[in-house]
Amino acid sequence: MGGVKLPLALTELGLIDEYEFVVQPRLAGHGPTLFAGLSRHVDLRLVSRLEFGSGAVAMRYEPKSQAAAPLCAWPGEDRANCESSVAR
């Protein structure tokens, strides 16, 4: 199992504690849908966001049902600045 089937299966089992998405500034109009067929909604909380000069944006989320402390920093990033990097 791999490709788009693995994240779907792991999400269905509640085994993912963090999601990271990178959005590229390009519309493709085709391709696989990552969570097509998910049997329920999973509400996510934005933990951090990182914007690149190319216009791409990396976003880190965790399930809202997870009671964990914020992970505001990306590797190598100063945690003191995490509040400004997370949209509220």
Side-chain angles (χ1 to χ4, degrees):
M1 181 167 36
V4 297
K5 292 181 180 179
L6 183 59
L8 178 61
L10 294 174
T11 298
E12 288 286 359
L13 294 170
L15 297 176
I16 299 179
D17 60 0
E18 182 177 283
Y19 296 84
E20 291 184 20
F21 301 104
V22 177
V23 177
Q24 300 289 337
R26 173 177 287 165
L27 298 176
H30 59 84
T33 303
L34 189 56
F35 293 102
L38 192 63
S39 66
R40 58 182 169 76
H41 287 92
V42 177
D43 293 317
L44 303 174
R45 180 178 73 83
L46 181 65
V47 176
S48 63
R49 176 183 64 206
L50 181 61
E51 297 179 27
F52 298 93
S54 66
V57 180
M59 295 164 289
R60 183 180 290 169
Y61 291 90
E62 66 181 22
K64 281 187 174 180
S65 61
Q66 183 178 358
L71 304 171
C72 298
W74 287 85
E77 185 179 325
D78 182 9
R79 291 181 82 73
N81 296 324
C82 73
E83 289 301 318
S84 63
S85 69
V86 177
R88 299 278 179 205

